Amino acid sequence: MRQVLDETDRRIAAALVASPRASWRKVARCLGLSERTVVRRVALLYADGTLRATVVRNPARFSHLIPTALRIRCRPNKIRQVAQALARRPDTVWVDILGGGDEISTIFFLEGTEARNNLLLRDLPATDAVGTWTAHTVLRVFPTAFRWTAGLLTPAELAELVPESVRPTTPAPSYTQLDIDTALIAGLTEDGRATYTDLARRAGTTALTARRRLEALTGAQVLRLATELDLAMLGAHAEALLWISVRPGALQEAGHALSTHPHVRFCAATTGPANLLVAVAAANLDALYTFLTDTLGPLDGVTAIDTTPLLATVKRTGLIRH
């Protein structure tokens, strides 16, 4: 994996963060590059692991999933060991080491109440390195934050990649799972840019059927395609998690306002005294400070903020960091 990218590679990567399965022709047209340049550069970015494509289920569309955010306090000398053990679990989506090196933040998609109870009542208490923890159920994710591009794309370029007509707004109606879906999800989890031919072979169907079903799943917000990379390579050198307490009557408005900010890459309403979880990726500490004072400060209904810097990311969008 590379440590730095030039400006062209950064803009290509940002385009793929915004639209993970965009065609090379579309990316080239959007960025004013030749298709040959995009293909050549993208091939190298994926080949060395700088970019990885995957898919994430929307737990709101899977009735058995319990999306849970945990803040886990650990002994500092064991924190990497605990974080890596959590990352190896198939039910963790992200795992970050926070603060002074004694706290882990993680998102679980737990497969039902038994899995939740086993985690909270058996697994965590049995782990000697774990001290205390708090668990928050994720109630609502504000999806506009997933269009984070580190400010590397203009509004016009973003609109070309992700037209308003295909952007999620409110949760879609009921979802009926088909037999083909399991195979599609498995294939896309391994490679979010797998060809429709490969997906069809895995699902035992045709490429046209695989394409139509994937479009239906993403359009109905059942799945979210994702491009994973180290955000520092896009110029974001100050990442933090914000645990924000908001009056219930102001929660929807605050969540929507924050999710559209260029620094916000994740925003969700949760249970608990801090009922809004926001992941921020800013260029530097000064930009993070400005976000706290100029964006969060004036928001109506905010009563408390706990800002915790990210020290290391062990897993994100379901992919373990190398």
Side-chain angles (χ1 to χ4, degrees):
M1 182 186 297
R2 276 178 270 183
Q3 300 302 311
V4 295
L5 301 177
D6 66 21
E7 185 65 16
T8 298
D9 281 343
R10 291 169 69 198
R11 281 175 45 78
I12 291 172
L16 292 170
V17 169
S19 184
R21 282 185 69 90
S23 69
W24 308 140
R25 179 175 299 177
K26 187 173 186 178
V27 172
R29 183 175 65 247
C30 172
L31 301 182
L33 302 170
S34 72
E35 187 174 350
R36 177 177 296 180
T37 296
V38 171
V39 170
R40 174 172 55 82
R41 287 176 174 260
V42 159
L44 294 173
L45 291 172
Y46 281 115
D48 65 12
T50 298
L51 296 183
R52 292 188 290 170
T54 189
V55 72
V56 181
R57 292 176 294 173
N58 177 1
R61 308 305 313 281
F62 294 82
S63 58
H64 67 290
L65 288 181
I66 303 176
T68 304
L70 265 72
R71 300 183 69 175
I72 304 171
R73 291 282 185 178
C74 301
R75 296 209 308 268
N77 64 331
K78 295 289 186 180
I79 196 163
R80 284 197 174 273
Q81 180 180 335
V82 174
Q84 289 165 357
L86 289 170
R88 288 192 293 270
R89 290 179 59 123
D91 53 4
T92 52
V93 182
W94 90 39
V95 180
D96 290 317
I97 298 175
L98 305 178
D102 63 348
E103 183 179 355
I104 293 171
S105 174
T106 181
I107 294 285
F108 283 83
F109 286 176
L110 295 164
E111 300 275 348
T113 56
E114 183 177 358
R116 179 196 60 195
N117 293 345
N118 284 341
L119 172 68
L120 298 178
L121 303 178
R122 184 193 66 189
D123 298 347
L124 288 176
T127 305
D128 291 337
V130 170
T132 61
W133 62 89
T134 57
H136 307 252
T137 300
V138 177
L139 300 176
R140 172 71 58 84
V141 174
F142 297 91
T144 47
F146 294 132
R147 297 201 305 273
W148 181 90
T149 61
L152 291 166
L153 302 181
T154 67
E157 290 168 338
L158 182 58
E160 184 174 352
L161 283 167
V162 190
E164 289 285 351
S165 60
V166 300
R167 294 180 185 179
T169 52
T170 57
S174 60
Y175 156 61
T176 301
Q177 185 166 343
L178 304 182
D179 292 341
I180 188 178
D181 295 351
T182 301
L184 287 178
I185 292 170
L188 291 164
T189 299
E190 294 176 6
D191 179 8
R193 289 200 64 99
T195 67
Y196 292 112
T197 300
D198 289 340
L199 293 172
R201 185 181 303 113
R202 185 164 190 151
T205 187
T206 66
L208 179 59
T209 298
R211 178 171 185 163
R212 286 176 173 170
R213 186 56 185 166
L214 177 56
E215 289 173 350
L217 292 173
T218 54
Q221 303 172 46
V222 175
L223 303 178
R224 178 176 67 88
L225 297 163
T227 299
E228 164 63 7
L229 78 162
D230 182 351
L231 302 187
M233 287 191 286
L234 298 187
H237 299 286
E239 290 191 68
L241 288 185
L242 312 181
W243 298 85
I244 307 172
S245 299
V246 185
R247 292 199 311 269
L251 184 57
Q252 177 70 16
E253 184 177 350
H256 176 73
L258 291 174
S259 71
T260 60
H261 192 280
H263 291 345
V264 173
R265 64 174 182 82
F266 178 81
C267 182
T270 71
T271 61
N275 54 359
L276 192 62
L277 171 59
V278 176
V280 175
N284 50 45
L285 292 176
D286 186 63
L288 176 60
Y289 174 81
T290 301
F291 174 82
L292 294 174
T293 57
D294 295 3
T295 299
L296 265 178
L299 273 184
D300 183 51
V302 174
T303 59
I305 304 169
D306 181 1
T307 304
T308 54
L310 268 66
L311 299 185
T313 293
V314 184
K315 188 176 189 179
R316 189 164 288 171
T317 58
L319 299 177
I320 298 175
R321 284 281 178 92
H322 299 305

